[in-house]
Amino acid sequence: MKIAVLSGKGGTGKTFVSVNLAAVAGDAMYVDCDVEEPNGHLFFKPGAVKTRQVAVEIPLVDSERCTGCRVCVDFCNYHALAWVGGGVKIFDEICHSCGGCIILCPEKALTGKEKVIGQVQRGKSEAVTVLSGMLNPGIPSGVPIIKELLKGTEEKERVFIDCPPGSACIVMETVAAADYCILVTEPTVFGVHNLNMVWELVTLLGKPCGVVINKFVETENPAEKYCAEKEIDVIGRIPFDAELGLLNSNALIAVREKAKYGRLFGDLLARITGEVWL
Amino acid sequence: MKIAIPVNAKSMESAICQSFGRAPYYLFYDGEEGTSEFKENSACASQGGAGIKAAQLIVDEKADVLLTPRCGENAAQVLRGAGVKMYKTMNDSIRENIQAFKEGKLSELRDIHPGHHRG
Ligand code: SF4
Ligand code: SF4
């Protein structure tokens, strides 16, 4: 089973929840798909790390063959190509590597050249296999790295995917691969606004989901009310707890430090496993 | 001499648009004839390099100069590549800026911001 952990914005506790769930599950996999700011590995501090580069193809123009028909320039949806001073100019950092221009050029003047956009790291932390994707700065899309990460998720029974924040197309990629989605939110009005965005996304993709309320203080709160209205299950409530906050800000994994947090996340894991196998 | 300006509406009385790449229209003003023509920016709501597409339009219309409050690095590369000179507008009035340009009162655009697009 693949569990995607999402939140409408960063800093809600998405990494905290996915890291602790994977750690409490033991023989599991943690996959950090937040490729612009991966930080799960800071908690797991995995050993025996292997790194693999991820490359995409971007077009390269052979000016001898190019006749200036501009088919490629007009085609590119991302406007990564321009016709300037009698030649095709390619903006590498805008190109999304769709490959369309290379196929369409009637003169075969465009060919693909490899460009490294980031890397995938794989290591071990106790029984947990830790996979992290890292996107180089200035690269327009991390989707190829996420695809590479998700390829590695078939081998484990329990996989926890730490998704990128927000609800952009890169998030769709990770949600589409999941069997169940955990939506992490804070109990505030602002939290609910972001929760609604991700809820719409997972519902659109037809995925079952449940909400985890982080920094929970009292039962009467906007997140609880929202979930009741939309008939979304609240599968976990993580109390506002200074000790928990401290462990987290010191990049320690709470369930490995204190038995009571092990029980908290163990219960959450049992609940999720129950939901998925229903 | 053909002058291009990003504008908010198809009128000489409209304001100059604060964004070059995301402007809804471009005014092409012929300095000799005193005629003006407005072109729609098909890329104003698009993803990716809207500035590049906009710069392509300016180049294809064979403008000699662009008067704009700001411009991104990618667009500037296209414009420079085609020899279009860029000048900084002083306020949002189309007529006042054309006049100022003719009198040589506008300075060259220097603050080119880095183009950053994630999709
Ligand atoms: S499609 Fe091919 S021949 Fe036509 S402008 Fe592009 S590179 Fe040149
Ligand atoms: S590969 Fe696709 S995105 Fe890249 S320049 Fe060609 S058409 Fe544009």
Side-chain angles (χ1 to χ4, degrees):
Chain A
M1 78 179 178
K2 294 197 192 87
I3 312 291
V5 183
L6 300 116
S7 70
K9 73 170 185 66
T12 311
K14 175 178 63 63
T15 297
F16 164 66
V17 170
S18 39
V19 163
N20 279 282
L21 276 174
V24 87
D27 182 20
M29 185 179 258
Y30 165 83
V31 187
D32 200 345
C33 286
D34 189 357
V35 295
E36 280 181 39
E37 248 174 286
N39 48 21
H41 64 281
L42 302 175
F43 290 88
F44 278 116
K45 306 169 185 71
V49 174
K50 289 202 192 85
T51 301
R52 202 167 59 230
Q53 305 291 338
V54 179
V56 294
E57 280 209 334
I58 56 165
L60 185 72
V61 63
D62 176 351
S63 50
E64 295 287 302
R65 300 189 91 146
C66 173
T67 56
C69 71
R70 296 177 59 153
V71 163
C72 56
V73 176
D74 293 337
F75 170 77
C76 182
N77 241 323
Y78 300 97
H79 314 304
L81 303 173
W83 177 257
V84 200
V88 174
K89 185 168 172 53
I90 300 167
F91 289 87
D92 288 8
E93 72 281 17
I94 307 253
C95 170
H96 279 55
S97 298
C98 74
C101 58
I102 299 171
I103 296 171
L104 284 176
C105 171
E107 308 299 330
K108 302 211 176 349
L110 296 172
T111 47
K113 75 164 180 213
E114 285 217 330
K115 177 187 176 186
V116 173
I117 60 161
Q119 58 190 42
V120 166
Q121 292 189 349
R122 184 197 182 93
K124 254 221 109 143
S125 170
E126 296 185 9
V128 181
T129 303
V130 179
L131 246 63
S132 303
M134 291 157 191
L135 183 69
N136 291 347
I139 305 291
S141 167
V143 171
I145 297 192
I146 292 198
K147 287 197 167 138
E148 190 65 33
L149 283 168
L150 294 175
K151 267 189 217 161
T153 56
E154 297 307 326
E155 62 197 84
K156 284 277 180 207
E157 188 56 31
R158 294 199 254 210
V159 179
F160 298 89
I161 305 171
D162 190 348
C163 296
S167 51
C169 59
I170 191 162
V171 184
M172 303 272 255
E173 205 73 40
T174 50
V175 171
D179 300 305
Y180 185 83
C181 296
I182 300 176
L183 316 181
V184 183
T185 186
E186 286 176 1
T188 59
V189 174
F190 189 56
V192 168
H193 172 75
N194 292 310
L195 172 61
N196 186 48
M197 286 185 340
V198 278
W199 179 75
E200 282 177 354
L201 176 79
V202 299
T203 310
L204 187 73
L205 292 171
K207 300 288 177 183
C209 67
V211 166
V212 168
I213 303 178
N214 192 21
K215 299 185 186 158
F216 179 82
V217 269
E218 50 190 285
T219 31
E220 290 278 318
N221 67 62
E224 207 84 43
K225 198 165 152 257
Y226 170 87
C227 292
E229 268 167 25
K230 297 264 181 187
E231 298 183 357
I232 311 167
D233 284 337
V234 178
I235 55 168
R237 295 174 180 84
I238 299 167
F240 182 81
D241 175 339
E243 196 185 356
L244 211 47
L246 191 65
L247 288 173
N248 204 43
S249 59
N250 289 332
L252 292 169
I253 300 174
V255 302
R256 287 183 182 171
E257 301 297 321
K258 284 260 165 136
K260 65 170 178 180
Y261 299 131
R263 282 194 298 279
L264 180 72
F265 279 92
D267 288 348
L268 180 58
L269 181 64
R271 176 80 194 261
I272 296 159
T273 315
E275 297 279 340
V276 177
W277 295 123
L278 261 177
Chain B
M1 161 92 45
K2 203 169 185 181
I3 303 168
I5 306 177
V7 294
N8 285 334
K10 288 164 121 169
S11 153
M12 289 298 280
E13 314 315 320
S14 103
I16 293 178
C17 182
Q18 288 305 306
S19 161
F20 168 65
R22 303 274 172 202
Y25 302 98
Y26 297 98
L27 161 67
F28 294 96
Y29 179 84
D30 189 315
E32 282 83 49
E33 312 270 324
T35 52
S36 52
E37 195 187 349
F38 294 89
K39 292 256 161 162
E40 207 169 318
N41 176 12
S42 60
C44 72
S46 76
Q47 52 184 344
I52 296 173
K53 175 89 177 184
Q56 182 79 66
L57 179 70
I58 305 298
V59 169
D60 289 349
E61 288 296 320
K62 302 198 166 46
D64 302 287
V65 297
L66 169 69
L67 312 185
T68 182
R70 53 177 66 87
C71 182
E73 175 55 34
N74 292 324
Q77 279 189 35
V78 173
L79 295 164
R80 277 192 214 111
V84 178
K85 281 211 176 319
M86 290 167 273
Y87 291 88
K88 187 165 174 57
T89 51
M90 52 178 198
N91 57 23
D92 62 7
S93 157
I94 296 174
R95 292 189 196 278
E96 285 174 30
N97 277 284
I98 291 177
Q99 193 54 37
F101 171 72
K102 283 184 176 167
E103 292 166 5
K105 286 182 184 159
L106 294 186
S107 50
E108 274 191 47
L109 185 71
R110 302 232 175 268
D111 45 346
I112 308 281
H113 55 88
H116 226 82
H117 304 276
R118 285 197 183 271

